Amino acid sequence: MDLKQIFDNNQDWVKQKLDVDANYFENLSKGQSPDILYIGCADSRVTAEELMGVSPGEAFVHRNIANMVPNTDLSSMSVIEYAVGHLKVNHVVVCGHYYCGGVKAAMEPADLGILNPWLRNIRDVYRTHKEELNGIADEEAKYKRLVELNVVEQCKNVIKTAVFQKAALDREIHVHGWVFDIKTGKLIDLEIHDNDILKEVMEIYRLS
Ligand code: CO
């Protein structure tokens, strides 16, 4: 890839924006008040803003391998704290994707060094749903189902945070589990029942 091309692209983009609105960047510099926190995979094919059709300023974005929300991960926890507690987003989205390399790696026996503890979180999702997953004979179907179950478990991890539980007490805030299907380009809403999950989570994880 020619990196000079990137700077040329950037110049074209700046010009395009300024042609429509001469104050575009001046206004962007004043601050942000996004309504959505999007937590997705770092996969190069799953471009958060482009697949959602949102503009700069509309979505606070966090991406890591396999769209994880481990409770000991300072990075994702800080993002949730800031977006929910300070930016006061009304929607938190965890978006997984079919054919996720991170999920695939967690299904196979391999020592991947520093990735082991990260992917261990996905193996834990597998263990939690072992009966259902082992009941799926087709490997691709099983792989896709683990992607979905991982999204649901990461939604639960968002709900387990103190900042989310506090926010849910005093405003309308929802967690959504989505999957992006790379094969069709379509975004699928898993339609999780976040209110029921919140009740279930709070039985054990109540922090406020
Ligand atoms: Co992925």
Side-chain angles (χ1 to χ4, degrees):
M1 188 174 203
D2 178 9
L3 296 190
K4 190 189 166 292
Q5 184 64 49
I6 288 177
F7 286 87
D8 293 344
N9 294 347
N10 173 254
Q11 277 194 343
D12 292 346
W13 178 70
V14 170
K15 190 179 172 304
Q16 246 176 50
K17 293 290 184 193
L18 295 179
D19 281 349
V20 177
D21 176 3
N23 297 317
Y24 185 76
F25 294 103
E26 177 65 29
N27 288 335
L28 266 191
S29 74
K30 288 174 185 160
Q32 61 170 335
S33 60
D35 195 29
I36 300 173
L37 163 59
Y38 169 100
I39 299 168
C41 186
D43 192 301
S44 61
R45 301 163 296 177
V46 189
T47 57
E49 289 90 345
E50 192 175 341
L51 75 88
M52 292 191 289
V54 301
S55 301
E58 291 185 323
F60 200 71
V61 171
H62 180 70
R63 293 170 65 180
N64 61 36
I65 292 177
N67 40 271
M68 303 301 289
V69 186
N71 76 93
T72 52
D73 173 37
L74 195 54
S75 182
S76 59
M77 287 298 122
S78 301
V79 165
I80 292 169
E81 182 74 30
Y82 187 66
V84 173
H86 295 270
L87 295 174
K88 306 215 178 294
V89 297
N90 293 308
H91 301 278
V92 180
V93 168
V94 177
C95 185
H97 67 100
Y98 294 142
Y99 314 104
C100 180
V103 171
K104 184 88 197 162
M107 291 175 76
E108 290 164 350
D111 179 357
L112 298 171
I114 192 68
L115 274 169
N116 292 340
W118 190 258
L119 299 178
R120 228 283 300 279
N121 295 301
I122 307 174
R123 291 183 195 272
D124 288 342
V125 173
Y126 195 110
R127 182 172 50 79
T128 308
H129 299 275
K130 192 172 76 176
E131 275 181 35
E132 179 187 343
L133 289 164
N134 285 349
I136 304 172
D138 181 69
E139 273 305 306
E140 186 173 336
K142 185 194 284 192
Y143 177 20
K144 289 170 94 169
R145 185 63 185 142
L146 181 55
V147 164
E148 296 172 0
L149 291 169
N150 184 46
V151 166
V152 175
E153 290 300 323
Q154 302 318 313
C155 287
K156 287 182 187 171
N157 284 344
V158 172
I159 294 171
K160 284 173 194 168
T161 64
V163 71
F164 183 86
Q165 290 180 25
K166 276 184 204 145
L169 289 176
D170 54 64
R171 71 174 196 271
E172 273 290 308
I173 181 165
H174 291 285
V175 177
H176 311 268
W178 296 351
V179 171
F180 175 67
D181 184 355
I182 296 188
K183 238 180 204 174
T184 63
K186 286 190 179 150
L187 202 50
I188 299 156
D189 187 350
L190 297 177
E191 294 179 1
I192 64 161
H193 299 286
D194 62 328
N195 287 327
D196 295 342
I197 295 174
L198 178 63
K199 272 183 220 145
E200 185 192 316
V201 158
M202 286 187 91
E203 271 180 46
I204 298 168
Y205 300 89
R206 180 182 282 273
L207 295 174
S208 63

